[in-house]
């Protein structure tokens, strides 16, 4: 039986979002789901400041996806989201050409 993105999404909808508001799918926290050789890959975007405390959420998502019939494995990563002004580097100015 082949695993579908729809089946993965339906299972992920059972995982409550942070602070139990909605689920991780409806909150837009789940990245594009990739399935290859019965293995499911995706990431969950979380606020950078709360990344450490979101590990149980990641583990729960991995657990429910691995329980889907036909899934051989799941790789779930937490992706930290930073507010603007964080990691972005300013574009360096080119020096003026000598005249």
């Amino acid at each position: 039986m082949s695993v579908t993105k729809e089946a993965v999404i339906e299972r992920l909808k059972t995982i409550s979002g942070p602070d139990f508001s909605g689920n991780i799918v409806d909150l837009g926290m789940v990245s594009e789901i990739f399935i290859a050789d019965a293995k499911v890959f995706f990431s969950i975007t979380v606020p950078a400041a709360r990344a450490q405390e979101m590990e149980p959420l990641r583990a729960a998502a991995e657990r429910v996806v691995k329980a889907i019939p036909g899934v051989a494995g799941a790789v779930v990563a937490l992706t930290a989201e930073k507010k603007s002004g964080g990691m972005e580097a300013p574009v360096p100015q080119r020096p003026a050409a000598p005249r």
Side-chain angles (χ1 to χ4, degrees), residues 8 11-13 15-18 23-33 40-48 50-65 74-81:
V8 173
R11 285 292 175 98
L12 290 175
K13 283 185 176 182
I15 305 295
S16 294
N23 66 66
I24 62 173
V25 174
D26 292 341
L27 290 171
M29 297 174 69
V30 177
S31 72
E32 183 65 29
I33 297 166
V40 180
F41 303 85
F42 63 94
S43 63
I44 300 171
T45 304
V46 299
R50 297 182 66 189
Q52 197 93 20
E53 71 184 84
M54 296 294 166
E55 174 54 27
L57 184 123
R58 186 209 63 78
E62 184 176 275
R63 197 168 39 254
V64 299
V65 170
V75 176
V76 183
L78 286 180
T79 304
E81 180 182 80

Side-chain angles (χ1 to χ4, degrees), residues 61-97:
E62 184 176 275
R63 197 168 39 254
V64 299
V65 170
K66 283 182 174 178
I68 298 171
V71 170
V75 176
V76 183
L78 286 180
T79 304
E81 180 182 80
K82 286 207 175 274
K83 297 252 187 264
S84 292
M87 300 294 286
E88 299 87 11
V91 177
Q93 296 294 318
R94 285 204 336 217

